Amino acid sequence: MEVYSNKNQISNLVNSLKLKGFTVGLVPTMGALHEGHLALVSEGLVNNDRVIVSIFVNPTQFDNKEDLKKYPRTLESDVALLQTISNDRIDVYAPTVTDVYEGDVDSEIFEFDGLEFEMEGKFRNGHFNGVGTIVKRLFEIVNPDNAYFGEKDFQQLQIVKKLVEKYQIPVMVTGCKIHREVNGLAMSSRNTRLKPKYAKAAPFIYKTLIAAKVKFGTKSANKVSEWVEKQFANHNLLKLEYFIIADTKTLKPIKRKSKKKLVRAFIAVYADDIRLIDNIALN
């Protein structure tokens, strides 16, 4: 397994692979890899001859600079984890900020047909411009045939699909199901930063989503939302930032149920100073 830090090197590698007729998949990550990431890589290996895993903590998508500073950087252990899956069909692109941004660490400004203003967009200023900037650059550098993203960041997944559509980027974007801990907590690199009592409390998020899905079978979206808000108002450790039942295409909150629309419940919760997100399909 080779680890590249230079974009020209990774571009040359992919070009040589494609000249041989090989297909290339990309799994973009910020490192601190876990089983959820490995599931994405495994999906990539099933459908491609070679998989590039990018490991880059992207500064432009952090609205909280303290969060950027604290984000775990564990390249050595990340590579070791990837080697447990394959040692000859995975390559790592772990660039510096300079290699990616060439001294101009600013986001491009994107329009994602309003997707960027819903949910996370309301609480994380400029976040999706940062996401769009790094994903577009990675697609340009790596030029993959396929790219894999987790459904835990469902809004991000929809925005990446919109990016590909609007810029006519020749990449097939695949969303992969949420990988969970045994207790139901959605796997995230942030979970490692949870203090013990918050780690013990955090599975309450998924339990509440499961209960909300059951209630959605007989109650309105508003009633379900009110119930969820009440559950967290009564919780002494977890603080609800938002709970929204939204159309999966527009990501706008639904006003009434419809069998013609696919909807999901989205949630963001603070466990002390760690922000956790999750979602679940409701129909």
Side-chain angles (χ1 to χ4, degrees):
M1 183 180 295
E2 295 290 337
V3 179
Y4 299 90
S5 59
N6 180 280
K7 61 186 173 187
N8 293 326
Q9 292 175 332
I10 202 72
S11 294
N12 290 339
L13 169 68
V14 173
N15 288 339
S16 68
L17 289 169
K18 289 193 168 187
L19 283 172
K20 294 173 186 173
F22 294 149
T23 53
V24 176
L26 172 67
V27 178
T29 83
M30 291 206 296
L33 302 185
H34 50 67
E35 292 293 329
H37 293 113
L38 294 190
L40 297 179
V41 178
S42 296
E43 183 72 17
L45 289 171
V46 169
N47 297 290
N48 301 273
D49 298 302
R50 199 77 156 256
V51 172
I52 309 296
V53 178
S54 64
I55 296 177
F56 178 65
V57 182
N58 176 40
T60 63
Q61 69 190 70
F62 284 83
D63 54 325
N64 184 330
K65 297 306 176 189
E66 195 61 30
D67 203 17
L68 170 61
K69 191 191 300 184
K70 289 180 178 177
Y71 202 90
R73 291 157 173 84
T74 56
L75 180 59
E76 194 173 316
S77 59
D78 289 344
V79 171
L81 194 59
L82 290 171
Q83 285 174 326
T84 64
I85 299 181
S86 174
N87 204 30
D88 59 353
R89 292 179 56 210
I90 301 172
D91 293 282
V92 174
Y93 174 46
T96 61
V97 172
T98 302
D99 188 64
V100 173
Y101 286 103
E102 297 179 345
D104 184 19
V105 190
D106 285 312
S107 295
E108 293 181 50
I109 306 300
F110 295 93
E111 287 186 6
F112 296 114
D113 295 348
L115 295 175
E116 70 273 34
F117 300 126
E118 303 301 327
M119 296 181 300
E120 294 291 285
K122 292 178 179 178
F123 293 90
R124 302 182 69 185
N125 186 39
H127 173 68
F128 288 118
N129 282 328
V131 169
T133 299
I134 187 57
V135 171
K136 184 166 172 275
R137 292 196 182 203
L138 287 172
F139 284 171
E140 289 167 350
I141 292 166
V142 178
N143 189 26
D145 298 291
N146 302 289
Y148 301 87
F149 295 81
E151 287 188 345
K152 181 176 74 71
D153 297 285
F154 190 88
Q155 185 174 13
Q156 174 180 276
L157 171 63
Q158 297 302 79
I159 278 175
V160 170
K161 287 181 177 179
K162 184 64 69 175
L163 175 79
V164 164
E165 175 193 314
K166 295 193 80 137
Y167 285 85
Q168 299 182 318
I169 302 170
V171 178
M172 176 65 71
V173 175
T174 298
C176 300
K177 68 178 184 179
I178 300 171
H179 224 67
R180 299 186 179 278
E181 310 278 0
V182 175
N183 59 21
L185 181 64
M187 286 192 176
S188 169
S189 304
R190 297 171 190 269
N191 295 354
T192 59
R193 291 168 49 200
L194 289 168
K195 294 170 186 171
K197 67 178 179 179
Y198 291 98
K200 190 175 180 181
F204 180 78
I205 299 167
Y206 184 55
K207 287 177 184 174
T208 305
L209 284 179
I210 291 286
K213 179 171 183 171
V214 173
K215 289 182 180 298
F216 188 71
T218 57
K219 298 184 182 299
S220 69
N222 280 343
K223 288 293 183 186
V224 174
S225 295
E226 287 171 7
W227 178 83
V228 169
E229 286 165 8
K230 190 173 181 180
Q231 302 313 299
F232 282 93
N234 293 330
H235 201 289
N236 62 349
L237 287 177
L238 303 176
K239 181 184 175 185
L240 181 68
E241 185 172 55
Y242 68 75
F243 174 83
I244 295 169
I245 294 175
D247 183 315
T248 58
K249 284 189 176 179
T250 66
L251 302 182
K252 291 185 179 298
I254 65 166
K255 292 179 180 176
R256 59 182 62 86
K257 294 182 189 179
S258 168
K259 291 181 179 178
K260 296 177 182 177
K261 292 181 179 179
L262 292 176
V263 296
R264 294 179 88 94
F266 298 88
I267 195 167
V269 173
Y270 274 97
D272 196 15
D273 61 340
I274 309 298
R275 189 173 183 274
L276 303 172
I277 63 171
D278 204 346
N279 66 85
I280 191 171
L282 295 183
N283 63 355

